[in-house]
Amino acid sequence: MADFTSDIAIARAASKKPIMEIGARLGIPSEHLLPYGHDKAKVSAEFIAASKGGRDGKLILVTAINPTPAGEGKTTTTVGLGDGLNRIGKKAMICIREASLGPNFGIKGGAAGGGFSQVVPMEDMNLHFTGDFHAITTAHNLLAALIDNHIYWGNELNIDIRRIAWRRVMDMNDRALRAITCSLGGVANGFPRETGFDITVASEVMAILCLATDLKDLEKRLGNIIVGYRRDRSPVFARDLKADGAMTVLLRDAMQPNLVQTLENNPAFVHGGPFANIAHGCNSVVATTTALKLADYVVTEAGFGADLGAEKFFDIKCRKAGLKPDAAVIVATVRAMKMNGGVKKDDLAAENIDAVRKGCANLGRHVQNVKKFGVPVVVAINHFVSDTEAEIQAVKDYVATLGAEAILCRHWAQGSAGIEDLARKVVELAESGQAQFAPLYPDDMKLIEKIETIATEIYHAGEVIADKSVRDQLRQWEEQGYGHLPICMAKTQYSFSTDPHLRGAPTGHTVPVREVRLSAGAGFIVVITGEIMTMPGLPRTPSSEKIFINDQGQIEGLF
Amino acid sequence: MADFTSDIAIARAASKKPIMEIGARLGIPSEHLLPYGHDKAKVSAEFIAASKGGRDGKLILVTAINPTPAGEGKTTTTVGLGDGLNRIGKKAMICIREASLGPNFGIKGGAAGGGFSQVVPMEDMNLHFTGDFHAITTAHNLLAALIDNHIYWGNELNIDIRRIAWRRVMDMNDRALRAITCSLGGVANGFPRETGFDITVASEVMAILCLATDLKDLEKRLGNIIVGYRRDRSPVFARDLKADGAMTVLLRDAMQPNLVQTLENNPAFVHGGPFANIAHGCNSVVATTTALKLADYVVTEAGFGADLGAEKFFDIKCRKAGLKPDAAVIVATVRAMKMNGGVKKDDLAAENIDAVRKGCANLGRHVQNVKKFGVPVVVAINHFVSDTEAEIQAVKDYVATLGAEAILCRHWAQGSAGIEDLARKVVELAESGQAQFAPLYPDDMKLIEKIETIATEIYHAGEVIADKSVRDQLRQWEEQGYGHLPICMAKTQYSFSTDPHLRGAPTGHTVPVREVRLSAGAGFIVVITGEIMTMPGLPRTPSSEKIFINDQGQIEGLF
């Protein structure tokens, strides 16, 4: 890619339009757009409330094969497809997640697409943006402070300090905060206990904000958060601490979707960013449902590969928000096919058609899985300069055998001009009326059976292993009225199995359930099948060392 | 005050003008105002840089007697005086501090003035505002993460983990975080050690942001932060961790002053908010120096009473920024005079002229102290409904004996119409050319002598007591090149002495120095003379319990 200008150079050269103009094109009057600078704005709650009831546009999900170190370009394709749909004359907008700030100072930033398919302002999106994540951090930590404060002043609710489930959060990669003891230093500082910090995107408040339909619903869900348990194991809720009102006040602005634009001046909502393992990994329901009222086509994406991201998008977000996706795009790259076919990262440049064919099994599995939800599928081959014609043809031929089509997309290098074919195919699928969306399992299925259904139907596993304690816990939750909740699987994103090294399309493997957690506010049961890191660390040489403001006042090193 | 509408009711009824209009009146073009909503905006760095070199307006400091539980209304008077100056035809603006978010969920909010002398939007100012404090929190905690990360990866700088001076911060009242052990849980989480959190306003990054003149100066100061020491006691700096560039990037927007408006639609910069004990307690240098280019009169305030706030304003902020105040207003209330005269809070409603006269000693001391800096003084009597004519006259008579004037102000109830007399007097003093500002002590005085000078000249103490270890530390800093720094006293705000219960104007008392700290980035030596709380706790019934969004979408309980 050496011949291409860098993402940041392209983003800096962008000719942005005033955000009020972008909003006006969507029919949002300026008094309902709260600007943050001249290139970002939040849509008012009043406008959103008033827009309910109108006709919905078509909803297009962009998902992907299992990620590999080669990169697949899911966000880039989401942005490109939105631009492509606008290019062929459709009123389209995109909905993507906000970036977590902390990790940008560790390895690399950039959650705004790439090449000529980016959302701008890139710098802001990778820094504080409109402050949503800071608001989530604050609301989360207010609840934490209220818990320890309640105990300090007498613990009327009889919270067992060994069973406090609510940790603190920070939008930072800081391994030193993973496990701490707090309230040390004597009587004035409270009762010492063990706890720790997670990164903000792992907060249940983040998941709640992304699933809530409005401020009232937000407040109710916040109140439903289980902060810990008494000695008799009965739960203590955030509402017992009267925390829900103040948390809602802190999140008032954060609940409103952020409007920005693509490099081609098309509208984009960038709002919310829950973890894709212990949470559902999609942008906010408010952004998506609002976008569907404003545009004829809404292109959105889900986290990780389709086994995790699309499944949760369908079974959690769409189920709960009543969304009915009209088509899905599965992003693949020739390089990723090769890696799935056994090629090492250093050998990716050499043509290897056999490896491509072998790796296609992973793609095929995702295509078939997505169809199980009743959503028609097209494959987008995100073009890299090293791809050969023969390799591309191998992918196309393979996908054709599945009764689907794979379309080469050059949006990274060409912007919307490089993705017209995909845009036309998406329109064809969406207008065909083929879509018959249904979640994978019904609400009233037993929790353990829901897990087994995902494991067998989506992961093609042979069995689910869960200790008696896990099964007892699931049964207890069913008795307490949580049995109707959907499942949020926390599994490695690199494989259909729980072994990150097992690429391709394994079958008959075992899914061991380590632990289950109830996110009663968000409204799902988290099922943990492996080591899940909720607070990242920084690398030996953090990227922060090279981040600075240059003499032209531009930020260097963030991307 | 029962007959008056509440602060929040008045603020909600405010007829705000678009912030672009307020900016235009100051001569700031819209492209140099970055809006945050329609009622807040940041002034661009380019505009500020371009405005340097012009003529400066008059600088007016509003300070106060030692605070009492009766309240004195310093911010209210600052806002009122700004409006009053505009009313009498002067182009005036005010510069005040931003509010800390955390404490609003503990006892009460409201750092935006009161009655008819308020700055709006009040809700935003007491919540996330434009995100400055969140940016400071993040920059501070990035440095903390980099310290532990550096140690984790081999500790090339040989930081002694027992001597890490840099704690973490959160904008929250959370006593459980005052003292913690971090990096627990095994090898992957680092080396266990003791540390803790302070509230964000206590961060040295806050003090640095408020004293830095531009982004380059900010970066240099951030690099100068001492994060800890090696076994040989040599300091390790933030720049050794290459943290300064990334911290500056995180603070880029936070460095720009926030423009808002008063209830009377006059311009106000609200920017920065360092603690007034372990830091200097004034709004940012950037805001004040920029305001002086934009307005003929700039009214600003300092934290606590004049013994702490005005002294630091003069000796730290004005000294370092080259500011020359033209007049000072000392705010007093009849009620506070009575409390200083020995009356209990419950008995304040009854007329008590003797107590007023007795309490005036405190006011007199502050008047004389401020004059020592060569700044002419006027006293503002902030009117309360319970004040009697005779009590007010007693204060006026007393102040006249000092060769100064005390003027009754009714801005709380009447807005600018109630403070015209004070505005005219301020103009008279400022235009008189009387001001001959000079700091209290020269840069090249020995550090211990600087402390003694403040203690004797301002506090009227008999002596300063400091252990050999403290004196040795001060000498060591002098050898290391820090001897030119000013002193930042951390003393109780309730008394000239270090005993908070000793009201009035004590003399001959002892000032014991417990500890000294070097804020090498901010550029001052903190001298601690008592128990200083840098992380507040929440009360038994936190105000958060009553904060919520009502059915009209308005925030209740925050004020």
Side-chain angles (χ1 to χ4, degrees), chain A residues 270-312:
Chain A
V270 178
H271 193 220
F275 247 28
N277 48 33
I278 58 151
H280 61 292
C282 322
N283 71 276
S284 77
V285 163
V286 170
T288 304
T289 54
T290 303
L292 286 167
K293 301 298 182 192
L294 299 173
D296 297 327
Y297 278 82
V298 174
V299 185
T300 190
E301 67 169 335
F304 297 152
D307 53 329
L308 281 169
E311 189 271 314
K312 293 182 189 185

Coordinates of all heavy atoms in Angstrom, one line a residue, chain A residues 270-312:
Chain A
V270 N -22.4 8.2 14.6 CA -21.4 7.5 15.3 C -21.7 7.5 16.7 O -21.6 8.6 17.3 CB -20.0 8.1 15.0 CG1 -18.9 7.4 15.8 CG2 -19.7 8.1 13.5
H271 N -22.2 6.4 17.3 CA -22.8 6.5 18.6 C -22.8 5.2 19.4 O -23.4 4.2 19.0 CB -24.3 7.0 18.4 CG -24.9 7.4 19.7 ND1 -26.2 7.1 20.1 CD2 -24.4 8.1 20.8 CE1 -26.5 7.6 21.3 NE2 -25.4 8.2 21.7
G272 N -22.1 5.3 20.5 CA -22.0 4.1 21.4 C -21.0 3.2 20.9 O -20.5 3.2 19.8
G273 N -20.5 2.3 21.8 CA -19.4 1.4 21.5 C -19.2 0.3 22.5 O -18.2 0.2 23.1
P274 N -20.2 -0.5 22.7 CA -20.1 -1.6 23.7 C -19.1 -2.7 23.2 O -19.0 -2.9 22.0 CB -21.5 -2.2 23.8 CG -22.1 -1.9 22.5 CD -21.5 -0.6 22.0
F275 N -18.4 -3.3 24.1 CA -17.5 -4.4 23.9 C -18.3 -5.4 23.1 O -19.5 -5.6 23.3 CB -17.1 -5.0 25.2 CG -15.6 -4.9 25.5 CD1 -14.9 -3.8 25.0 CD2 -15.0 -5.8 26.3 CE1 -13.6 -3.7 25.3 CE2 -13.6 -5.7 26.6 CZ -12.9 -4.6 26.2
A276 N -17.6 -6.1 22.2 CA -18.2 -7.2 21.4 C -18.1 -8.5 22.0 O -18.6 -9.5 21.5 CB -17.7 -7.2 20.0
N277 N -17.5 -8.7 23.2 CA -17.4 -10.0 23.8 C -18.4 -10.0 25.0 O -19.4 -10.7 24.9 CB -16.0 -10.4 24.3 CG -15.3 -9.3 25.0 OD1 -15.9 -8.5 25.7 ND2 -14.0 -9.3 24.8
I278 N -18.2 -9.2 26.1 CA -19.1 -9.3 27.2 C -20.3 -8.4 27.0 O -21.2 -8.3 27.8 CB -18.4 -8.9 28.5 CG1 -17.8 -7.5 28.4 CG2 -17.4 -9.9 28.9 CD1 -17.8 -6.7 29.7
A279 N -20.4 -7.7 25.8 CA -21.6 -7.0 25.5 C -21.9 -7.3 24.0 O -21.3 -8.2 23.4 CB -21.4 -5.5 25.8
H280 N -22.8 -6.5 23.4 CA -23.4 -6.9 22.1 C -22.7 -6.3 20.9 O -22.9 -6.7 19.8 CB -24.9 -6.7 22.1 CG -25.2 -5.2 22.3 ND1 -25.1 -4.6 23.5 CD2 -25.8 -4.3 21.4 CE1 -25.5 -3.3 23.3 NE2 -25.9 -3.2 22.1
G281 N -21.8 -5.3 21.2 CA -20.9 -4.9 20.1 C -21.5 -4.1 18.9 O -20.9 -4.1 17.9
C282 N -22.6 -3.4 19.1 CA -23.2 -2.6 18.0 C -23.4 -1.2 18.5 O -23.4 -0.9 19.7 CB -24.6 -3.1 17.6 SG -24.8 -4.9 17.7
N283 N -23.5 -0.3 17.5 CA -23.8 1.1 17.8 C -25.2 1.2 18.5 O -25.9 0.2 18.5 CB -23.7 2.0 16.6 CG -24.9 1.7 15.6 OD1 -24.8 0.8 14.8 ND2 -26.0 2.5 15.7
S284 N -25.6 2.3 18.9 CA -26.9 2.4 19.7 C -28.1 2.2 18.9 O -28.2 2.5 17.7 CB -26.9 3.8 20.3 OG -27.4 4.8 19.3
V285 N -29.1 1.7 19.6 CA -30.5 1.5 19.1 C -31.0 2.8 18.7 O -31.7 3.0 17.6 CB -31.4 0.8 20.1 CG1 -32.8 0.9 19.7 CG2 -31.0 -0.7 20.2
V286 N -30.8 3.9 19.5 CA -31.4 5.2 19.2 C -30.8 5.7 17.8 O -31.6 6.2 17.0 CB -31.0 6.2 20.3 CG1 -31.4 7.6 19.9 CG2 -31.8 5.8 21.6
A287 N -29.5 5.5 17.6 CA -28.9 6.0 16.3 C -29.5 5.2 15.2 O -30.0 5.8 14.2 CB -27.4 5.8 16.4
T288 N -29.6 3.9 15.3 CA -30.1 3.1 14.2 C -31.6 3.3 13.9 O -32.0 3.5 12.7 CB -29.9 1.6 14.5 OG1 -28.5 1.4 14.8 CG2 -30.3 0.7 13.3
T289 N -32.4 3.4 14.9 CA -33.8 3.6 14.7 C -34.1 5.0 14.2 O -34.9 5.2 13.3 CB -34.7 3.4 16.0 OG1 -34.1 4.2 17.0 CG2 -34.6 1.9 16.4
T290 N -33.3 6.0 14.6 CA -33.5 7.4 14.1 C -33.0 7.4 12.6 O -33.7 8.0 11.8 CB -32.7 8.3 15.0 OG1 -33.1 8.2 16.3 CG2 -32.9 9.8 14.5
A291 N -31.9 6.8 12.4 CA -31.4 6.8 11.0 C -32.4 6.2 10.0 O -32.6 6.7 8.9 CB -30.1 6.0 10.9
L292 N -33.1 5.2 10.5 CA -34.1 4.5 9.6 C -35.2 5.4 9.2 O -35.9 5.2 8.2 CB -34.6 3.2 10.3 CG -33.6 2.0 10.3 CD1 -34.1 0.9 11.2 CD2 -33.4 1.5 8.9
K293 N -35.5 6.4 10.1 CA -36.5 7.4 9.8 C -36.0 8.5 8.8 O -36.8 9.2 8.2 CB -37.0 8.1 11.1 CG -37.6 7.2 12.1 CD -38.8 6.4 11.6 CE -39.4 5.5 12.7 NZ -40.4 4.6 12.1
L294 N -34.7 8.7 8.8 CA -34.1 9.8 8.1 C -33.6 9.4 6.7 O -33.5 10.3 5.8 CB -32.9 10.4 8.8 CG -33.2 10.9 10.2 CD1 -31.9 11.3 11.0 CD2 -34.2 12.1 10.1
A295 N -33.3 8.1 6.5 CA -32.7 7.7 5.2 C -33.4 6.5 4.7 O -34.1 5.8 5.4 CB -31.2 7.4 5.5
D296 N -33.3 6.3 3.4 CA -33.9 5.1 2.7 C -33.0 3.9 2.9 O -33.5 2.8 2.9 CB -34.1 5.4 1.2 CG -35.0 6.5 1.0 OD1 -36.0 6.7 1.8 OD2 -34.9 7.3 0.0
Y297 N -31.7 4.1 3.1 CA -30.8 3.0 3.4 C -29.9 3.3 4.6 O -29.3 4.4 4.6 CB -29.9 2.7 2.2 CG -30.7 1.8 1.1 CD1 -31.5 2.4 0.2 CD2 -30.5 0.5 1.1 CE1 -32.2 1.7 -0.7 CE2 -31.2 -0.3 0.2 CZ -32.1 0.3 -0.7 OH -32.8 -0.5 -1.5
V298 N -29.9 2.4 5.5 CA -29.0 2.6 6.7 C -28.1 1.4 6.7 O -28.5 0.3 6.8 CB -29.8 2.6 8.0 CG1 -28.9 2.7 9.2 CG2 -30.8 3.9 8.0
V299 N -26.8 1.7 6.6 CA -25.8 0.7 6.6 C -25.1 0.7 8.0 O -24.6 1.7 8.5 CB -24.7 0.9 5.6 CG1 -23.7 -0.2 5.5 CG2 -25.3 1.2 4.2
T300 N -25.1 -0.4 8.7 CA -24.5 -0.5 10.0 C -23.6 -1.7 10.1 O -23.6 -2.6 9.2 CB -25.6 -0.5 11.1 OG1 -25.0 -0.4 12.4 CG2 -26.4 -1.8 11.1
E301 N -22.9 -1.8 11.2 CA -21.9 -2.9 11.3 C -22.0 -3.5 12.7 O -22.6 -2.9 13.6 CB -20.5 -2.5 11.0 CG -19.9 -1.5 12.0 CD -18.4 -1.3 11.9 OE1 -17.7 -2.2 11.4 OE2 -17.9 -0.3 12.4
A302 N -21.5 -4.7 12.8 CA -21.5 -5.4 14.1 C -20.0 -5.8 14.4 O -19.2 -5.9 13.4 CB -22.3 -6.7 14.0
G303 N -19.7 -6.0 15.6 CA -18.3 -6.3 16.0 C -17.8 -7.6 15.6 O -18.6 -8.5 15.3
F304 N -16.5 -7.8 15.5 CA -15.8 -9.1 15.3 C -16.4 -9.7 14.0 O -16.9 -9.1 13.1 CB -16.0 -10.0 16.5 CG -15.3 -9.5 17.7 CD1 -15.8 -9.9 19.0 CD2 -14.2 -8.7 17.7 CE1 -15.1 -9.5 20.1 CE2 -13.6 -8.2 18.9 CZ -14.0 -8.7 20.1
G305 N -16.3 -11.1 13.9 CA -16.9 -11.8 12.8 C -18.4 -12.1 13.0 O -18.9 -11.8 14.0
A306 N -19.0 -12.6 12.0 CA -20.4 -12.8 12.0 C -20.9 -13.8 13.1 O -22.0 -13.7 13.6 CB -20.9 -13.3 10.6
D307 N -20.0 -14.7 13.5 CA -20.4 -15.7 14.5 C -20.7 -15.0 15.8 O -21.6 -15.4 16.6 CB -19.3 -16.8 14.7 CG -17.9 -16.1 15.0 OD1 -17.6 -15.0 14.5 OD2 -17.1 -16.7 15.7
L308 N -20.0 -14.0 16.1 CA -20.2 -13.2 17.4 C -21.1 -12.0 17.0 O -22.2 -11.8 17.6 CB -18.9 -12.8 18.0 CG -18.2 -13.8 18.8 CD1 -16.8 -13.3 19.2 CD2 -19.0 -14.2 20.1
G309 N -20.6 -11.1 16.1 CA -21.1 -9.8 15.9 C -22.5 -9.9 15.3 O -23.5 -9.3 15.8
A310 N -22.7 -10.6 14.2 CA -24.0 -10.7 13.5 C -25.0 -11.4 14.4 O -26.1 -11.0 14.5 CB -23.8 -11.3 12.2
E311 N -24.5 -12.5 15.0 CA -25.4 -13.2 15.9 C -26.0 -12.3 17.0 O -27.2 -12.3 17.3 CB -24.7 -14.4 16.5 CG -25.6 -15.4 17.2 CD -25.8 -15.1 18.7 OE1 -24.8 -14.8 19.4 OE2 -27.0 -15.1 19.2
K312 N -25.1 -11.5 17.6 CA -25.6 -10.6 18.7 C -26.5 -9.5 18.1 O -27.5 -9.1 18.7 CB -24.5 -10.1 19.5 CG -23.7 -11.1 20.3 CD -22.6 -10.5 21.1 CE -21.7 -11.5 21.7 NZ -20.7 -10.9 22.5

